[in-house]
Amino acid sequence: MPIVARAPMGALSTDLFDRSPEAIAAHLEDAAHYPGGTADAVARPRTEADIAAVLAEGRPVLTVGAQSSLTGGATPTGAIVLSTTRLTTIEPPTGREVRVGAGVPLATLLEDLARNGLDFPPVPTYLGATVGGIIATNAAGAATYKYGTTRQWVEGLTVVLAAGDVIDIRRGQHVLDASGVFVIDGPGGRREVPVPTYVMPDVVKRSAGYHAAPSMDVVDLFIGAEGTLGVIAAATLRLQPARAGLCYALVPCVDEPRALALVGDLRRQSHETWRTQDPAGIDVAAIEHMDGRSLQILREDGADRKYEVSWPASAGLLLLIQLELPPLTQDDAYEQISTALDQDGPDTPLARFCRVLDAHGVLDDTELALPGDRKRAEQLLGVREAVPAGVNARVGRAKRDIDGRIAKTAADMVVPFEKFGEMMDVYRAGFARRGLDVATWGHVSDGNVHPNVLPRSYEDVEAGKAAILEFGVEVARLGGCPLAEHGVGRHPVKQALLRQLYGDEGIEQMRRVKRALDPQGLLAPGVLFGP
């Protein structure tokens, strides 16, 4: 049965376009510091009709949210920047779902949901990102380990297509049949969309081109498409009850092998808890990793003092563990911690967690933010966020002071956790062989971390690109995906990784999807697979 498109709804705004130099200048660069941003105008739609009017201009359009892209995917290369900053409606939740505008920042969404006792758990680390942005890249983050990626939590989308008509798609209503083609009928005509036949890597995170799978849902075609197939105007998200007790633990480890032993132990015990529903079981939602170079950056930038944290001089890396606990008071928590190692100590999730830390020799140096201690939780989370912020600031200064061609040069790859140590060995050897300065952090519980080059010259950027392409081959060999959660964007290295992954025929299959829905190539030109 065809998907039926409709005419756009809503009034046309009189202040839709802003052509002021100030507005344009504010939208010429994303978080990747990708060079060459240009634009003629910024459009800020409030309605579907506004979006359709922008597309009716017949000029290239790049849709952006927070411009927090790390791939150059939110850096414009001419014509119109469509900003979703006015698409900020949050409807009252209905059961375990909520419908929201594409421009709603995640922090705003989470605050609104919390007032209703609800939560949207798959959010990435950066809460300034928008709902539309995380859907466009199938963003993932720390808690993907337990909750999966954005894809699993999107129940429906409203998408304005390149022709200006609109589809309202709901998960379960339109599933790919044996023809391998989705058909859309509406004011924009009949569009037959051939779904690619390549096989995607079987890993927990994957932001690697157009989704393709037998019997896939049409909703999934637009998730992770990076704005190249339509403009997401609104989304219906699946929710869950707010988590009762979140505990954070900042754990210094002497070296990587001992850290991975601890992570492996916590992963095994958490999987057992999910399997058995043991009320006293350890329930870890996420484990973050910051390597030794990251710790140097934290000290250089004063983040340890700002957030009132410390770690031993012997620490080779930090882990930040997110533990889910049943409801308990601060007094109960302190009592469980203080007696956890007693012979007749309590059998609770928190006490078991303390015993695991003790068994690995890290309990005494661990800093905890117990449930309800919001200030301390924000401090520990601030430490984690200070690492990418510090790296991005250094890249920006290098671009300004050393060479304007310098851009963020980083890997975003994922492997099965059992192969994580081998992947890290590959990274270290490849970077060391090229004499590069690198900081690595990320989501160790998923087997997904982000080595970032700290460039001292443009030559470092070029050497880093060569290393990343080499790593892509090795990660695929290990059963992983070289494009995990940040997407592809217009970054030439990530586009080369995409071509390595699927081959020329796979890229051509993606182009066929693009031509079916955007025959003039006006949506996000250059994103995913170049011009």
Side-chain angles (χ1 to χ4, degrees):
M1 181 180 297
I3 300 156
V4 179
R6 58 173 173 80
M9 295 190 296
L12 192 62
S13 299
T14 58
D15 59 349
L16 177 57
F17 291 100
D18 188 341
R19 294 180 171 86
S20 68
E22 296 79 12
I24 292 171
H27 290 84
L28 295 184
E29 189 176 77
D30 63 17
H33 300 291
Y34 192 79
T38 61
D40 301 329
V42 176
R44 299 187 183 91
R46 294 182 176 87
T47 65
E48 296 170 3
D50 283 343
I51 297 172
V54 175
L55 299 177
E57 294 279 311
R59 307 179 67 203
V61 174
L62 178 69
T63 303
V64 303
Q67 288 193 290
S68 53
S69 166
L70 300 176
T71 66
T75 297
T77 56
I80 302 170
V81 175
L82 191 159
S83 169
T84 61
T85 52
R86 292 173 173 171
L87 299 171
T88 54
T89 299
I90 303 177
E91 296 183 7
T94 303
R96 297 281 181 88
E97 292 185 353
V98 66
R99 181 173 166 83
V100 298
V104 174
L106 297 179
T108 302
L109 173 65
L110 294 179
E111 289 172 5
D112 189 89
L113 294 177
R115 288 193 288 270
N116 291 281
L118 296 166
D119 187 28
F120 179 68
V123 294
T125 310
Y126 178 56
L127 296 182
T130 62
V131 169
I134 67 168
I135 292 171
T137 56
N138 187 31
T144 297
Y145 168 61
K146 179 175 181 180
Y147 293 106
T149 65
T150 298
R151 183 181 306 282
Q152 286 90 341
W153 294 79
V154 177
E155 291 299 315
L157 294 173
T158 295
V159 182
V160 183
L161 300 175
D165 48 358
V166 182
I167 55 173
D168 300 297
I169 47 178
R170 177 82 186 179
R171 192 171 291 282
Q173 291 182 346
H174 298 281
V175 175
L176 189 67
D177 61 22
S179 71
V181 175
F182 286 117
V183 178
I184 300 173
D185 275 334
R190 182 179 178 89
R191 283 140 290 187
E192 297 184 356
V193 186
V195 173
T197 58
Y198 47 68
V199 178
M200 306 191 85
D202 185 15
V203 284
V204 294
K205 291 181 175 178
R206 188 178 59 230
S207 186
Y210 299 151
H211 186 78
S215 303
M216 66 176 276
D217 197 291
V218 71
V219 170
D220 289 319
L221 184 65
F222 293 91
I223 299 172
E226 301 194 36
T228 62
L229 301 181
V231 178
I232 296 170
T236 300
L237 307 176
R238 182 164 60 88
L239 308 173
Q240 71 167 23
R243 290 171 279 180
L246 280 178
C247 174
Y248 294 90
L250 191 68
V251 183
C253 297
V254 172
D255 56 32
E256 187 177 284
R258 279 179 267 199
L260 293 184
L262 172 58
V263 173
D265 199 353
L266 291 171
R267 278 173 49 96
R268 284 189 296 274
Q269 296 207 36
S270 295
H271 279 286
E272 183 65 11
T273 298
W274 303 338
R275 186 185 69 82
T276 64
Q277 296 297 300
D278 181 359
I282 290 173
D283 186 359
V284 168
I287 307 176
E288 297 286 278
H289 164 289
M290 295 159 270
D291 75 347
R293 186 67 178 94
S294 299
L295 303 195
Q296 291 177 9
I297 289 170
L298 291 172
R299 287 198 174 102
E300 290 167 7
D301 293 351
D304 52 343
R305 298 184 298 277
K306 177 180 178 180
Y307 295 112
E308 300 177 17
V309 298
S310 62
W311 51 85
S314 60
L317 58 86
L318 292 176
L319 299 176
L320 179 61
I321 302 169
Q322 186 182 121
L323 179 71
E324 296 189 4
L325 299 172
L328 78 169
T329 66
Q330 291 268 319
D331 288 344
D332 288 340
Y334 284 121
E335 175 67 19
Q336 290 178 24
I337 293 167
S338 65
T339 58
L341 303 184
D342 293 352
Q343 189 171 2
D344 58 348
D347 188 23
T348 66
L350 181 56
R352 288 191 189 182
F353 180 65
C354 290
R355 288 194 282 271
V356 170
L357 295 182
D358 183 66
H360 287 266
V362 293
L363 178 60
D364 290 344
D365 293 323
T366 293
E367 298 206 30
L368 290 173
L370 294 171
D373 190 348
R374 183 170 181 177
K375 177 184 176 182
R376 193 56 176 157
E378 290 175 349
Q379 288 177 321
L380 298 190
L381 290 168
V383 171
R384 163 62 174 82
E385 278 303 287
V387 177
V391 169
N392 290 343
R394 284 162 173 77
V395 173
R397 289 196 295 268
K399 177 181 178 180
R400 181 193 66 205
D401 300 336
I402 299 173
D403 194 317
R405 296 174 295 171
I406 285 175
K408 187 177 181 72
T409 308
D412 169 36
M413 303 186 184
V414 60
V415 295
F417 178 75
E418 295 73 23
K419 300 290 186 179
F420 182 81
E422 190 172 346
M423 179 179 72
M424 294 298 285
D425 289 341
V426 168
Y427 285 165
R428 277 188 289 269
F431 287 129
R433 194 165 63 249
R434 295 168 172 86
L436 295 174
D437 185 14
V438 175
T440 301
W441 70 90
H443 322 296
V444 64
S445 48
D446 300 325
N448 167 224
V449 291
H450 310 302
N452 276 242
V453 174
L454 297 163
R456 297 155 297 194
S457 66
Y458 182 65
E459 288 70 29
D460 280 357
V461 172
E462 290 296 294
K465 292 177 181 177
I468 291 167
L469 289 174
E470 177 184 294
F471 300 155
V473 175
E474 290 299 302
V475 163
R477 178 183 64 81
L478 295 171
C481 181
L483 298 157
E485 61 179 6
H486 294 158
V488 177
R490 60 179 82 255
H491 199 291
V493 173
K494 293 186 181 292
Q495 292 188 358
L497 289 170
L498 189 69
R499 189 172 292 273
Q500 274 184 188
L501 184 62
Y502 298 131
D504 291 344
E505 174 57 25
I507 299 301
E508 177 54 31
Q509 290 180 14
M510 277 190 251
R511 289 186 184 276
R512 290 176 198 141
V513 175
K514 172 75 168 171
R515 287 193 293 266
L517 288 170
D518 180 21
Q520 296 183 67
L522 298 180
L523 293 173
V527 171
L528 278 183
F529 34 69

